[in-house]
Amino acid sequence: MRTGRKRSLGKGRGGGEAAFAELLKKKGLKVTLERQKIYEEVASMNNHFDADELFERFKAKGLPISRDTVYRNLPLLLEAGRVQKSAGEGKREYFENMEAGGHHDHMICVHCGTIVEFRSEAFEALQQKLCEKHRCKLIYHDHRLFVECARCSNNVEKGARRAVHENHEAK
Amino acid sequence: MRTGRKRSLGKGRGGGEAAFAELLKKKGLKVTLERQKIYEEVASMNNHFDADELFERFKAKGLPISRDTVYRNLPLLLEAGRVQKSAGEGKREYFENMEAGGHHDHMICVHCGTIVEFRSEAFEALQQKLCEKHRCKLIYHDHRLFVECARCSNNVEKGARRAVHENHEAK
DNA sequence: TCTCAATTAAGATTTAATCCTATTTATGAG
DNA sequence: CTCATAAATAGGATTAAATCTTAATTGAGA
């Protein structure tokens, strides 16, 4: 790398940076400039994204961060609680910034593919409790409710024939 | 097909068969012998499985059911509540028979890949409530807690270095 | 200062899942 | 029972996500 930017991980005021720096330290991993950039880019994301999108962003910015590096490091961000897995359209793994809009889960209509985000403290609390009971530490979770939304429910009742899971085919 | 086996869907005493038959009818889909066989095979499964495994089973039995057919029809079983998505080792989609051992969800250790099944009425009830609130009908869900299990937690504390998400690479 | 973890480029590989074409089968409505 | 057509088949091609390979370079951190 050629930029002379100073290191910032571990000095940040937000909890996120510290958590990531701690994780790297605990694992004996190096704080590379690439990891910092990935961290920063993710922190600036407001929408769902996938690994490839992230890679493309760096490319667009002229930052020489390879696809491999993005793929290699995203799991670290998951583990640090910096991102969560998320619902998306294709078969890719989707992620989202935990700090933008806070944590939430998803309801997906199996017919039309509509995605509704929801947030439930009750679920969060239950999960924590369950993990404690099993003496595990919750890192992140993936919770998706596949539903038939009210609109589609109507259509099906009316006898409308539609392709099976047409959303699965949609790009 | 050459077997002259009589149709059985829709006449079964269990709730599962009826639900599947109803779904097919509602969608205007035919009750084919292949769909029956897939239904039956899934009903006999006690462990997690993926689409390809199911296909291999038919091949082993000498039933000429193609991979495509399995892939095409599994979503119907999901929709009918006959199977649920499940946690597995690779990146495949895993399923499991809802009636064998009842419904459950999973905790997966991000380090060693250990999978622990759990069952929680509280989660089930909350999900139902949430769906009602959104006027949706819950078809199935996918709920996975990614954790650091007690054993791995110890190892990490002790400073042991391990590959990042080594389970992701394991076959 | 120096070692080695981590990165890069660029292309190859793997593998899940889906699609294609032409043909055959058999469901379910009439 | 007849028949149109939905759904299946084989089996090979394709797509696309994710990972790996190799050889060379870089730079974090002791």
Side-chain angles (χ1 to χ4, degrees):
Chain A
M1 302 297 312
R2 55 202 61 102
T3 72
R5 201 177 175 292
K6 69 165 177 10
R7 284 173 33 198
S8 67
L9 280 181
K11 312 265 178 186
R13 42 285 121 226
E17 281 188 59
F20 189 44
E22 269 167 42
L23 179 72
L24 290 178
K25 191 164 200 176
K26 191 152 85 176
K27 294 195 156 245
L29 299 172
K30 292 180 180 174
V31 179
T32 65
L33 190 56
E34 288 81 5
R35 285 184 175 139
Q36 293 175 52
K37 288 299 179 187
I38 292 173
Y39 181 94
E40 287 168 19
E41 193 62 37
V42 163
S44 78
M45 301 289 245
N46 290 311
N47 299 96
H48 303 170
F49 64 93
D50 60 60
D52 209 64
E53 251 172 83
L54 199 51
F55 164 67
E56 292 295 342
R57 278 188 171 231
F58 289 124
K59 213 165 78 177
K61 287 186 173 184
L63 279 174
I65 296 181
S66 73
R67 190 191 311 272
D68 257 34
T69 298
V70 172
Y71 273 101
R72 258 184 281 115
N73 287 303
L74 262 176
L76 288 174
L77 293 180
L78 264 179
E79 199 167 342
R82 191 66 197 79
V83 296
Q84 67 166 313
K85 284 200 184 176
S86 177
E89 303 145 66
K91 38 192 163 171
R92 284 187 177 175
E93 293 258 49
Y94 281 82
F95 303 91
E96 60 190 39
N97 180 357
M98 292 270 300
E99 277 168 28
H103 167 72
H104 60 261
D105 293 298
H106 302 86
M107 303 174 65
I108 303 114
C109 176
V110 298
H111 296 295
C112 63
T114 302
I115 297 176
V116 174
E117 300 181 349
F118 69 86
R119 177 175 174 69
S120 163
E121 285 308 331
F123 276 121
E124 304 302 321
L126 264 175
Q127 288 178 162
Q128 283 299 344
K129 220 161 120 182
L130 187 75
C131 285
E132 276 163 32
K133 206 169 84 181
H134 284 264
R135 299 155 134 282
C136 289
K137 186 179 151 205
L138 182 59
I139 310 289
Y140 65 93
H141 67 267
D142 190 1
H143 195 186
R144 309 181 196 190
L145 307 182
F146 293 87
V147 303
E148 184 173 276
C149 71
R151 211 148 82 94
C152 286
S153 210
N154 268 338
N155 287 343
V156 172
E157 296 308 334
K158 283 191 200 131
R161 293 190 188 182
R162 41 177 64 238
V164 176
H165 278 215
E166 59 189 41
N167 57 307
H168 287 180
E169 279 135 299
K171 172 74 257 213
Chain B
M1 300 299 312
R2 54 203 60 104
T3 73
R5 201 178 174 292
K6 67 164 180 8
R7 283 174 32 197
S8 68
L9 279 182
K11 312 264 180 188
R13 47 273 130 230
E17 283 187 57
F20 189 44
E22 268 167 42
L23 180 71
L24 290 178
K25 190 163 199 176
K26 191 152 84 176
K27 293 195 157 243
L29 299 172
K30 292 181 180 175
V31 178
T32 65
L33 190 54
E34 289 80 6
R35 284 183 175 139
Q36 292 173 52
K37 287 300 180 187
I38 292 172
Y39 181 93
E40 287 168 19
E41 193 62 38
V42 163
S44 77
M45 301 288 247
N46 290 311
N47 299 96
H48 304 170
F49 64 93
D50 59 60
D52 208 62
E53 253 170 82
L54 200 51
F55 164 67
E56 292 296 340
R57 278 186 170 233
F58 290 124
K59 212 165 77 177
K61 287 188 176 184
L63 281 174
I65 296 181
S66 73
R67 191 190 308 274
D68 257 34
T69 299
V70 172
Y71 272 101
R72 257 185 281 114
N73 286 302
L74 264 176
L76 287 175
L77 293 180
L78 264 180
E79 198 167 343
R82 189 68 197 78
V83 297
Q84 66 166 312
K85 284 201 184 177
S86 176
E89 302 146 64
K91 39 193 160 168
R92 284 186 179 176
E93 292 259 49
Y94 282 83
F95 303 90
E96 62 191 38
N97 179 358
M98 293 269 302
E99 274 166 31
H103 168 72
H104 59 261
D105 293 298
H106 302 86
M107 301 173 65
I108 303 114
C109 176
V110 297
H111 296 295
C112 63
T114 302
I115 296 176
V116 174
E117 298 180 350
F118 68 87
R119 177 175 174 69
S120 165
E121 285 308 332
F123 276 119
E124 304 303 320
L126 264 174
Q127 287 176 163
Q128 284 298 345
K129 218 162 120 183
L130 189 75
C131 284
E132 277 163 31
K133 206 169 84 181
H134 285 262
R135 301 155 134 279
C136 289
K137 185 179 152 207
L138 181 58
I139 312 287
Y140 66 92
H141 65 268
D142 189 0
H143 195 187
R144 310 182 194 189
L145 307 182
F146 292 87
V147 303
E148 184 173 273
C149 71
R151 211 148 83 92
C152 285
S153 210
N154 268 336
N155 288 342
V156 171
E157 295 309 334
K158 285 190 199 131
R161 293 187 187 183
R162 39 177 65 238
V164 177
H165 278 216
E166 58 191 42
N167 57 307
H168 287 179
E169 277 136 301
K171 170 77 257 216

